[in-house]
Amino acid sequence: MNQNSKDRLIRILIGYVGLYPTLLIVLTLLKPVTQGLSLPVVVLIETIILVPLTQLVSFPLAGWVIERLSRKE
């Protein structure tokens, strides 16, 4: 496997590691607030909160974790 393919796989893995825990936390915390709203409004609110949180916190943190794990190998 060449380096370019390996880098792509690592980025995909970082995306999964960063996205899913953040998604679960945000959905759990917003459930009481968005419970009575329509689906489009719920999706809009969750997206406005989820995207910046994921981009600014979760992806760098997931990248750091994967980098630490790859150093140990």
Side-chain angles (χ1 to χ4, degrees), residues 4 7 10 17 23-24 39-40 54 58-59 63-65 69 73:
N4 199 13
D7 288 343
I10 289 173
V17 170
L23 180 64
L24 292 175
L39 182 62
T54 303
S58 298
F59 284 165
W64 179 80
V65 168
L69 291 174
E73 292 178 4

Side-chain angles (χ1 to χ4, degrees), residues 1-64:
M1 182 180 302
N2 63 16
Q3 187 64 26
N4 199 13
S5 297
K6 187 176 180 181
D7 288 343
R8 285 185 191 153
L9 288 174
I10 289 173
R11 287 179 187 212
I12 291 170
L13 181 61
I14 289 172
Y16 282 121
V17 170
L19 180 63
Y20 286 116
T22 306
L23 180 64
L24 292 175
I25 291 169
V26 168
L27 293 178
T28 303
L29 293 176
L30 289 178
K31 186 174 181 176
V33 175
T34 59
Q35 197 167 11
L37 302 174
S38 67
L39 182 62
V41 174
V42 171
V43 170
L44 179 65
I45 291 171
E46 291 172 352
T47 303
I48 288 171
I49 293 172
L50 186 64
V51 170
L53 184 66
T54 303
Q55 294 293 321
L56 295 175
V57 178
S58 298
F59 284 165
L61 183 60
W64 179 80

